[in-house]
Amino acid sequence: MIAKLKGLLDETGADWAVIDVAGVGYLVHCSSKTLAALGASGEACTLFTDLQVSENDMRLLGFAEAGERDWFRLLTGVQGVGSKVALAILSALSPGELRGACARVDAATLARAQGVGPKLAARIVNELKDKAGALPGGGEGAGLAAIPVGGASADAVSALQNLGFKPAVAAQAVARAQSELGEGASEGELIRVALKRAAG
């Protein structure tokens, strides 16, 4: 699976960008917030990615931050939320606003996103209210536990997800491991302790 792209921004569209990585152009679908963070054509950029495969389509999604990708994965786990709707939500709300809305069970805030009706917004906040504190967001809902975006902790969360743990469970376990081991913990140490927490 493609987890990250590092290259030059070739061109952008309404909801996509082409990233030139050593002469190969990757078409990546992005939220408007991620597109705004990429900079100008020809500039170096890095995107965290998620590859979605269906019967008749393969789609690469790109995110400016690993935390945004974590939220994308959580959102698309909700029935009725596909990649387009998840990107629309991430275009309308920052991870912090999204986390705050889910923690408060505030469906009206989610309904601001294009293509999200009141019923779907209510389903999203009800399903994610207990998981909101485990994912990055900062700002709103600061009392909720969150792991730092990027670095060893984000890589450890990714590793646990690859082992089959749900994003929220992986994030919570790594956050607990980080608080036990301290900021200087390596990815390997975090994974070892987080595995015990997630399994226990």
Side-chain angles (χ1 to χ4, degrees), residues 2 14 17 26 35 55 61 71 78 82 89 112-113 146 164 173:
I2 301 167
Y26 290 86
L35 286 172
E55 284 183 24
L61 293 305
W71 271 107
V78 176
I89 292 170
R112 284 173 13 205

Side-chain angles (χ1 to χ4, degrees), residues 5 8-20 25-41 45 47 49 57-64 68 83-84 87-88 91:
L5 293 176
L8 300 176
L9 179 62
D10 195 49
E11 60 177 316
T12 58
D15 63 350
W16 54 267
V18 174
I19 311 298
D20 185 329
Y26 290 86
L27 175 66
V28 189
H29 296 270
C30 309
S31 71
S32 60
K33 291 184 188 301
T34 288
L35 286 172
L38 286 178
S41 292
C45 62
L47 281 178
T49 59
D57 190 27
M58 258 176 73
R59 183 176 288 238
L60 195 60
L61 293 305
F63 309 94
E68 189 187 15
S83 59
K84 283 186 179 179
L87 286 181
S91 292

Side-chain angles (χ1 to χ4, degrees), residues 1-4 49-52 60 69 73 158 161-162:
M1 181 173 138
I2 301 167
K4 187 165 78 169
T49 59
D50 190 69
L51 181 64
Q52 292 209 327
L60 195 60
R69 180 179 61 186
R73 289 172 174 167
S158 221
Q161 286 178 225
N162 290 338

Side-chain angles (χ1 to χ4, degrees), residues 3 29 40 58 69 84 108 110 112 125 146 156-157 186 189 195 199:
H29 296 270
M58 258 176 73
R69 180 179 61 186
K84 283 186 179 179
L110 260 81
R112 284 173 13 205
V125 295
V157 170
S186 70
E189 290 171 325
L195 274 172

Side-chain angles (χ1 to χ4, degrees), residues 1 3 31 34 47-52 61-78 81 86-87 89-90 94-96 98-99 102 124 128 131-137 145-162 165-175:
M1 181 173 138
S31 71
T34 288
L47 281 178
F48 296 91
T49 59
D50 190 69
L51 181 64
Q52 292 209 327
L61 293 305
F63 309 94
E65 300 175 353
E68 189 187 15
R69 180 179 61 186
D70 291 341
W71 271 107
F72 174 83
R73 289 172 174 167
L74 202 55
L75 286 166
T76 52
V78 176
V81 180
L87 286 181
I89 292 170
L90 290 166
S94 71
L98 185 51
R99 193 177 74 159
C102 290
I124 292 168
L128 302 186
K131 302 173 184 175
L135 285 179
I147 62 164
V149 175
S153 57
D155 291 339
V157 170
S158 221
L160 260 68
Q161 286 178 225
N162 290 338
F165 290 98
K166 290 185 176 177
V169 174
Q172 244 168 353
V174 171

